[in-house]
Amino acid sequence: VVGVHQSPGKRVMFSADERLAMMADATEGIARVAAIGYDGLTAAFARKIGAGVLVRGLRALSDFEYEFALAAMNRDIDPRLETVCLVTSSDHTFISSSIIREIAAHGQPVDKWVPPNVARELHAKLYGVQQGSSQRE
């Protein structure tokens, strides 16, 4: 299960419903993978769906402190919940949503770093181009 969190306090470019649709599209065809939206605490969502492990990603050392605190809090909320952190390859450590947005805002393609459906939606959001339209006009 890929959990897509409602982020009411965060400034995001895409609504939770838009992010959920993009994740569902990006994972379509991958056996036994489902994208599900949720709000509230991640530990409560994990308990609700019967998950025992959270998989999180680390790009840089600075991510570790935040993820470590989250893992400790989630385990305190539900002692049966484990967190596994996967470290990205060194050639992807620089990738972040804000950098991707900035590159796209300057008219550059981002297909190299995000799934094709996300690149299309990002371009559509920034330039009002409908889905299925050419990336480079």
Side-chain angles (χ1 to χ4, degrees):
V1 172
V2 179
V4 178
H5 188 256
Q6 294 266 10
S7 304
K10 254 180 137 175
R11 272 192 42 199
V12 294
M13 177 175 270
F14 295 101
S15 71
D17 288 340
E18 290 171 321
R19 290 183 290 119
L20 180 58
M22 286 187 286
M23 183 58 72
D25 187 33
T27 58
E28 185 179 1
I30 301 174
R32 299 173 36 160
V33 173
I36 300 174
Y38 73 100
D39 59 2
L41 296 174
T42 299
F45 173 67
R47 188 178 316 124
K48 179 180 175 181
I49 64 169
V53 178
L54 299 174
V55 178
R56 306 281 298 184
L58 296 175
R59 290 174 298 166
L61 185 59
S62 57
D63 291 344
F64 178 77
E65 285 186 51
Y66 177 73
E67 294 296 340
F68 183 81
L70 276 180
M73 185 57 70
N74 285 328
R75 180 178 275 169
D76 199 51
I77 292 168
D78 185 345
R80 297 165 297 168
L81 193 58
E82 293 288 339
T83 300
V84 174
C85 292
L86 301 178
V87 179
T88 189
S89 62
S90 60
D91 54 338
H92 291 109
T93 58
F94 64 92
I95 298 172
S96 70
S97 59
S98 55
I99 290 173
I100 297 298
R101 276 193 308 269
E102 186 169 345
I103 291 168
H106 284 88
Q108 296 299 307
V110 295
D111 308 72
K112 179 178 178 180
W113 304 291
V114 298
N117 68 304
V118 174
R120 284 191 308 272
E121 293 295 332
L122 180 57
H123 195 74
K125 181 76 81 168
L126 289 169
Y127 300 106
V129 177
Q130 295 300 316
Q131 273 188 327
S133 297
S134 171
Q135 281 263 157
R136 297 183 188 115
E137 311 254 86

